[in-house]
Amino acid sequence: MTATISAAAVKPTRRRQKWWQLLGKDKFAAVAAVVLGLVVLTALFGPWLIGDRAVRQDLRASLRPPSFDHGFFGLLGTDVLGRSVVARLIEAAGTTLSVAVPAVLCSLVIGSALGMWAGYHGGWRESVAMRVADVILSFPSLLLAVVVLYVFTPSAANIVLILAFARIPIYLRTARAESAELRTRLFVDAARTFGTKSWATIYRHLLPIVLPTMLTVATLDFCFVMLSESSLSFLGIGIQPPDVSWGLMVAQGRQYLQTAWWIAVLPGVAIVITTVSATILAAWVRLATDPAQRWRLTLAKRRRGAVTEVTA
């Protein structure tokens, strides 16, 4: 009875819809995608538009509060050196994403490849890969980054390397678990029977199934990496002046919280909005890439609730 009603409810939307059509049916995910798109566009093209306004000092405009009386660059006030907070937020967006995105991509590619390789072959390869992942996970990633960056020179490249290295086990363990379950499927056995090489089997048969899960993990991990970079910059061992990131702006403005709250609060709001948007979009991606759950996105809200009540 339940299966019949569910099938009947899904039947009118049986034709596969495009991803932007599915995104339009979820208002929260659509808003999150728009916010992240604006952040990315700001990071890419913003520094070209603002020129040197992020570092231009004007002591006569020191600690000017947000207002509409001083043009666009005075909209969110100025810091203690008279630099525009709007311009510094735009410049910091590029710096923050230039650390978070490469770190996530590196850990995603390396961890997923090693995890699928270990899960497909099993045996000693799987044991070695899992023990290496356990060793890395035994050190808290933020503490490991603090120790390494304290010993070596803090820089964007070093931050990317250490955060990517610390996050590899997350993808390795997830990809290994998925691949270990898939290696016993009939289509994988058929590929082995016909003499397909291991990497070709992993690329053609395992990767398309594992990839949606890995992308969801990467979207959530992006939030963690961005917060880690902000934390390191707040502690003074992350991004160094004259470069600027959202975390560094919070660190520089914390001593002016009572007199000029906008210097530290506005970068913190940018961090929160970006991470929340990425989390919401990750939940939508998980549904959109799962064939068993995608139907929830194709139904109208009221109809979806009716189907849920009947199936319950």
Side-chain angles (χ1 to χ4, degrees):
M1 178 68 178
T2 299
T4 302
I5 295 176
S6 300
V10 179
K11 188 175 181 179
T13 57
R14 196 175 194 120
R15 187 178 60 181
R16 187 171 183 178
Q17 299 185 9
K18 302 296 184 180
W19 64 267
W20 58 84
Q21 294 174 330
L22 294 176
L23 184 61
K25 293 179 180 296
D26 191 329
K27 295 181 180 179
F28 290 103
V31 172
V34 170
V35 170
L36 290 179
L38 291 176
V39 172
V40 172
L41 291 177
T42 300
L44 291 177
F45 303 107
W48 296 351
L49 299 177
I50 64 174
D52 63 343
R53 296 300 295 262
V55 295
R56 187 186 302 175
Q57 300 180 11
D58 183 5
L59 297 180
R60 293 175 300 178
S62 176
L63 300 180
R64 180 178 291 168
S67 69
F68 296 95
D69 301 331
H70 304 284
F72 173 77
F73 291 104
L75 187 63
L76 299 180
T78 60
D79 63 2
V80 67
L81 296 178
R83 296 171 297 189
S84 170
V85 173
V86 170
R88 290 179 65 78
L89 283 174
I90 294 174
E91 186 76 20
T95 304
T96 301
L97 293 188
S98 68
V99 171
V101 173
V104 171
L105 288 179
C106 291
S107 56
L108 170 64
V109 172
I110 297 174
S112 300
L114 292 176
M116 288 188 293
W117 173 77
Y120 174 78
H121 289 286
W124 66 269
R125 299 177 181 87
E126 185 177 12
S127 299
V128 171
M130 294 305 295
R131 297 297 77 78
V132 171
D134 292 340
V135 170
I136 298 175
L137 285 176
S138 63
F139 298 95
S141 58
L142 188 58
L143 178 60
L144 181 63
V146 169
V147 173
V148 173
L149 292 175
Y150 183 79
V151 175
F152 298 97
T153 303
S155 65
N158 288 338
I159 295 173
V160 170
L161 290 176
I162 190 60
L163 290 180
F165 174 78
R167 305 306 295 173
I168 285 177
I170 304 299
Y171 302 94
L172 193 155
R173 291 164 67 96
T174 304
R176 196 280 313 171
E178 294 263 346
S179 301
E181 191 274 331
L182 292 173
R183 71 186 178 196
T184 59
R185 299 288 184 89
L186 291 177
F187 61 89
V188 177
D189 290 336
R192 291 198 197 98
T193 303
F194 284 102
T196 306
K197 294 182 179 180
S198 60
W199 278 112
T201 303
I202 292 173
Y203 177 76
R204 295 176 183 175
H205 301 291
L206 299 187
L207 181 60
I209 301 176
V210 175
L211 186 60
T213 301
M214 304 311 298
L215 290 178
T216 304
V217 175
T219 307
L220 293 173
D221 198 45
F222 168 79
C223 303
F224 179 86
V225 172
M226 192 174 68
L227 291 174
S228 297
E229 182 277 324
S230 300
S231 301
L232 293 172
S233 298
F234 183 83
L235 294 174
I237 55 176
I239 301 298
Q240 300 296 308
D243 294 331
V244 60
S245 69
W246 287 338
L248 182 60
M249 291 182 66
V250 174
Q252 293 175 340
R254 68 181 185 273
Q255 56 183 325
Y256 302 102
L257 280 174
Q258 294 183 348
T259 57
W261 56 268
W262 55 89
I263 302 177
V265 171
L266 294 180
V269 171
I271 295 173
V272 172
I273 291 177
T274 305
T275 53
V276 170
S277 299
T279 303
I280 294 174
L281 192 61
W284 176 85
V285 170
R286 184 69 186 109
L287 287 177
T289 55
D290 187 352
Q293 299 293 329
R294 191 182 297 121
W295 65 271
R296 297 179 181 274
L297 300 175
T298 62
L299 297 177
K301 186 175 180 181
R302 293 181 180 179
R303 192 174 183 182
R304 188 188 315 165
V307 173
T308 304
E309 292 178 0
V310 172
T311 55

